[in-house]
Amino acid sequence: MLDDARSVMSRGRHAAAERSLRASLAAFDRRRDATRAGDAALLLGELLQTRGRSAGACELFERARRNYESQGAAALAVQACARSGLAQTDCGLLNEAEATLRAAYSAATALADPRLQLTAGVALARCLLWQSRQVDASHLLETLTPRQG
């Protein structure tokens, strides 16, 4: 189901992909397949965010996070949390975004997942920049950059 939606999205048929993803999400919910429902919510949220519909995307990312958490899929929950923070930033909800992204960054650090740390850290730095907190953002980015030498 999700592969079909990805294929449709890659061909630029966004409305058809959205319909397919919404149908998939409903089907996974009916089956109580929380992980696949999380995958569908995450993909649909990404589609909406790229189409400029960040408020709807934020709701879907939160839904994905809850689904992943219910299944103990911590890394996927952190990924959804970081995406939610990005959508909140795009909506101008900067205080909420900062809190969400700090939670994602802390969880990624606790998981010792460098890829997730980088994703959440850069998203948090972006949010800090939008708040005109360049020094804080710069310090955070320095911690994400490995030292050479």
Side-chain angles (χ1 to χ4, degrees):
M1 283 188 193
L2 298 181
D3 289 334
D4 292 339
R6 281 187 186 93
S7 175
V8 171
M9 281 173 40
S10 72
R11 292 191 309 262
R13 299 187 55 223
H14 299 116
E18 182 176 345
R19 285 190 302 274
S20 174
L21 287 168
R22 288 192 188 281
S24 296
L25 182 55
F28 294 139
D29 280 342
R30 279 192 305 276
R31 293 182 201 151
R32 291 186 170 81
D33 186 343
T35 302
R36 299 221 15 210
D39 295 343
L42 192 64
L43 188 57
L44 180 54
E46 289 170 0
L47 174 64
L48 294 184
Q49 190 168 15
T50 60
R51 305 285 293 158
R53 294 162 53 194
S54 295
C58 188
E59 293 172 15
L60 287 160
F61 294 140
E62 283 300 309
R63 184 175 180 176
R65 182 192 55 76
R66 287 190 305 272
N67 283 340
Y68 292 141
E69 283 180 351
S70 76
Q71 299 302 301
L76 291 170
V78 171
Q79 180 183 358
C81 187
R83 292 304 305 240
S84 180
L86 283 168
Q88 289 169 332
T89 301
D90 289 350
C91 287
L93 304 170
L94 300 180
N95 291 331
E96 294 89 339
E98 182 180 354
T100 300
L101 292 167
R102 284 194 185 279
Y105 183 67
S106 294
T109 301
L111 290 172
D113 185 322
R115 183 187 58 81
L116 285 176
Q117 282 178 286
L118 183 62
T119 298
V122 170
L124 177 55
R126 176 179 177 256
C127 179
L128 294 171
L129 284 172
W130 277 39
Q131 296 177 58
S132 298
R133 294 168 53 194
Q134 289 82 357
V135 173
D136 292 338
S138 177
H139 283 120
L140 176 59
L141 291 173
E142 286 174 8
T143 67
L144 298 173
T145 307
R147 300 264 183 230
Q148 299 294 327

